[in-house]
Amino acid sequence: MRNDHVTLRSTAVFDLLAPRTPAVPVKVELRYDTRDPYAVVAAFRTGRAGWVEWVYARDLLADGLLAEAGDGDVRIRPSVEDPESVLIELNSPSGHAMFEASAQELADFLDRTYDVVLPGNEHLWVDVDDALTHLIPNDLS
């Protein structure tokens, strides 16, 4: 387990896509924190209401830049219409959203995460004892 934690941040603009309406630009903050080395956070600016965060696997982002990836609430795939774009589909009980993002911006962000934690070395950054402490109640009586 490593103690020299790093948090990477990058801002981008994703286009919210909806049928029969123009795309709506949405500010997104991408974050990567070595305390959760397997995950990427995408925080979407929702106007005055604040931010909505989605956490998904870093591998899902990497796979989605090359081919259709994901079979759960987050799906990522290259755009058929624009090879420089990626489609990000988010599903939740409260709704569905489709975003288009720059493949290059996402790839650059992903490369920065690899500079900090190489793929396959994520386990070196996980403190299993600390994780178990948060999962197991302190009072077992």
Side-chain angles (χ1 to χ4, degrees):
M1 205 277 319
R2 309 269 312 254
N3 288 324
D4 47 344
H5 293 290
V6 174
T7 300
L8 300 175
R9 296 177 191 279
S10 181
T11 56
V13 175
F14 291 5
D15 286 333
L16 175 61
L17 307 176
R20 299 174 299 283
T21 61
V24 175
V26 176
K27 183 178 178 180
V28 178
E29 181 184 72
L30 299 170
R31 287 193 312 267
Y32 179 76
D33 190 324
T34 57
R35 288 183 199 107
D36 190 359
Y38 293 100
V40 169
V41 176
F44 295 83
R45 182 72 177 162
T46 60
R48 292 186 179 158
W51 296 84
V52 174
E53 292 188 352
W54 283 77
V55 180
Y56 52 92
R58 181 171 72 156
D59 288 348
L60 175 62
L61 177 58
D63 293 345
L65 289 172
L66 302 174
E68 189 168 334
D71 57 5
D73 294 341
V74 179
R75 297 171 190 243
I76 303 173
R77 66 181 178 276
S79 172
V80 175
E81 298 169 5
D82 180 2
E84 295 182 8
S85 295
V86 173
L87 298 176
I88 301 169
E89 184 177 2
L90 305 174
N91 290 293
S92 76
S94 62
H96 170 267
M98 177 74 76
F99 295 91
E100 186 173 49
S102 164
Q104 188 62 56
E105 282 185 53
L106 293 174
D108 290 347
F109 174 74
L110 193 60
D111 286 344
R112 288 179 53 215
T113 74
Y114 293 160
D115 289 341
V116 176
V117 179
L118 288 171
N121 286 340
E122 294 90 350
H123 68 281
L124 299 174
W125 291 80
V126 176
D127 184 345
V128 176
D129 292 332
D130 183 55
L132 288 174
T133 300
H134 287 90
L135 292 173
I136 299 172
N138 290 333
D139 182 19
L140 296 176
S141 56

